[in-house]
Structures are given as structure tokens and as C-alpha cells.
Amino acid sequence: HDPVLLGVVDDWIASIDETTFEDVLPLVRRTFSRFEAAERRQIAGRVRSGPTTARPAGDDLDLDRAMPAARRVADLLGLAAPGES
């Protein structure tokens, strides 16, 4: 429901290659299946309407706090974690 989070997810999905997308798609589908139908329609409407605006000025991400979660997601997906080669 957060437009900034939707933008982050959208940017990430747009940046991955086709093979990775096909590997990740079941996880994405399972994640969104947990939302109520009305919530899924609302999210889909936002996705259809195009990219959201950039994050508000001064609303910086705390990369130190985000990195453990990003590494865990990468591990679950079998990808190299951010900051690793």
C-alpha cells in the first residue's frame, strides 16, 4: 500500500533478467496471494497507472538497517547478496 515500497519492488522487478524473474515469480505470486482480493485489485491498479513519484526529499533509506533483510531475501532466492560478488 506504500507507494515508495511499490516503486522499490517495481524497480527491482524491472532490473532482473528473464530467468531470474521466472525463478522469483512463484514467490511473488504466493506473497500477493495472502492479500485480500480488494487489496490485490488496488495494488494492481497502482501498478497499471505507471511508476510512482520518487521518494519525498529527505526520506532516505537506512541501508545499514535494510542490508540484513536484503541479504536474507537474496539467500532465499539463491542469489548473490547485495554487496557480494
Side-chain angles (χ1 to χ4, degrees), residues 3-16:
V4 174
L5 180 58
L6 181 59
V8 169
V9 172
D10 186 50
D11 290 346
W12 173 67
I13 292 289
S15 73
I16 59 177

Side-chain angles (χ1 to χ4, degrees), residues 22-82:
E22 290 173 359
D23 291 341
V24 170
L25 188 57
L27 175 64
V28 173
R29 289 177 59 94
R30 279 193 302 272
T31 299
F32 282 97
S33 72
R34 296 179 183 191
F35 287 97
E36 296 294 326
E39 292 172 305
R40 289 193 306 266
R41 281 192 299 275
Q42 183 181 27
I43 293 168
R46 288 184 180 173
V47 169
R48 276 191 297 275
S49 69
T52 59
T53 59
R55 286 193 326 259
D59 188 20
D60 296 324
L61 294 175
D62 185 340
L63 295 178
D64 290 331
R65 287 185 62 206
M67 194 54 65
R71 284 190 179 114
R72 181 64 181 138
V73 169
D75 183 49
L76 290 169
L77 298 174
L79 305 172

